Amino acid sequence: MVTRREFLDTLATGAAGLAVSSTARSYSQILGANDRLNFAVIGLNGRAGAHLSSLKANKDAARIAYVCDVDTNTLAKFAADATREMGEAPKTERDFRNILALKEVDAITIAVPDHWHAPMAILGLKAGKNVYVEKPCGHNPAEGVLLVAAQKKYGKVAQMGNQQRSSPHTIEIVEKIHNGLIGKTYLARAWYVNVRKSIGVGKEAPVPAQLDWDLWQGPAPRQAYRDNVQPYNWHWFRTWGTGETLNNGTHEVDVCRWALDVDLPESISASGGRYHFKDDWQFYDTLVTSFNYPGKMITWEGACCNGMRIYGRDRGSVIMGTTGSVIVDRDGYEVYDLKGKKTGEFHAAKDQTSSTDTVGRDSMTDAHFANFIAAIRKGEKLHSPVAEGNVAVTMLQLSNVAWELNRVLELDPVDGKVRHDAEAMKSWSRAYEPGWEPRI
């Protein structure tokens, strides 16, 4: 295994390999397979299943050349799944840095825990790889700024995985809203409900033999292994996760600001708490957060331990205007007049989505990958470049700060920094494990 310093030194000098080598012959064989892009899928739990499904849907233009995970059991299972689905066996790797050193890898997809998203994406861009990174594209606002700057500096394609940006019916209805379908828009309300269970009170335990716990933690300050964190519950710990707003709210809040045609707000408020259970969960299970603009507002409501649906849906957005409203979710949209009478609708029956699905295989993700691939191969415009995706991410990161401090945050809408609040700005970045700080 290479050290981080060796890896960075290699990038700086432009050397071709570290602990892994690739002969010219093997490279030409891989590259010549129908001129498809060579992908490496990194982080193989949960959402990576959708990456596999969507790369299969786009297999005429892409292949999975490598798969990578710090857990050897997960790695072996996913490699077998990829072999079955893609019709060819990918190579396996435990340390993603070895993959970034390979010339034949054209693109990486990142489905690791949140604390790794931006640091890994930045290293990928620096290594000359195109990057598909799941939302949120950063653990804190400072990381988003660095990621956007890295994309600009290295010039590679970088897409965030808020796949509803590639949903044909969402693109259609947002365009209609912008063209005056419901008059002047002024309020967008988003929500998410689920019936998550308690994560209990964990205890320190030996690190499982198959898991590289040190590399799993990466840029995060080191902690002892606990038995209720991995592979999914890290979402609810501040060291690694970002709470339900970033885990799921990112999608619908992004749709709301897209429909209202707004960027960063002037102020953010948030209230809620961990009400349903008393356990190790460090965020809220119930939250209402508001984003205020001149003459417009976005709200997001999350209740992830109570499945009482809103407008008959687990998740979605309603956009309100001076002549009517639109309800839009991943499965379609409905149009209403001012009195609440339905005047139009569209239903995409193929994708019946659920808030309990942590993988999310669907045609939207297939289309989002197709857009990413076309951007690499043909220069097609990305549906969600990281500079665009990071706006909603920054908004929701700051809603976490507003919730934690229990006060309204006044923002500079140009860069999102909190005005006149030094305490809030302490959360703009985070503490890193020494030597693992992201840099461009």
Side-chain angles (χ1 to χ4, degrees), residues 180-233:
L181 177 66
I182 53 174
K184 179 184 176 182
T185 56
Y186 56 85
L187 173 64
R189 179 190 181 195
W191 66 93
Y192 175 85
V193 303
N194 204 337
V195 285
R196 298 193 188 278
K197 305 303 181 183
S198 173
I199 65 171
V201 177
K203 60 182 182 298
E204 290 189 13
V207 177
Q210 74 273 12
L211 177 66
D212 186 337
W213 179 237
D214 185 68
L215 189 54
W216 188 95
Q217 294 181 89
R222 294 297 178 265
Q223 294 187 19
Y225 180 84
R226 298 178 68 85
D227 61 6
N228 67 339
V229 171
Q230 207 264 347
Y232 188 82
N233 289 337

Side-chain angles (χ1 to χ4, degrees), residues 1-2 20 41-44 66-76 91-100 102 112 116 120 207-216 230:
M1 184 180 297
V2 298
V20 181
V41 181
I42 305 173
L44 305 179
Y66 289 85
V67 293
C68 179
D69 198 275
V70 295
D71 185 308
T72 54
N73 290 352
T74 301
L75 179 61
K91 295 182 180 179
T92 59
E93 177 56 61
R94 204 174 186 187
D95 189 330
F96 78 96
R97 295 170 294 185
N98 294 333
I99 286 176
L100 297 190
L102 294 170
V112 293
W116 255 121
M120 188 178 291
V207 177
Q210 74 273 12
L211 177 66
D212 186 337
W213 179 237
D214 185 68
L215 189 54
W216 188 95
Q230 207 264 347

Side-chain angles (χ1 to χ4, degrees), residues 343-362:
T343 60
E345 63 184 336
F346 173 83
H347 296 287
K350 182 179 178 180
D351 292 334
Q352 295 299 312
T353 54
S354 167
S355 63
T356 60
D357 181 2
T358 58
V359 177
R361 298 179 182 91
D362 53 42

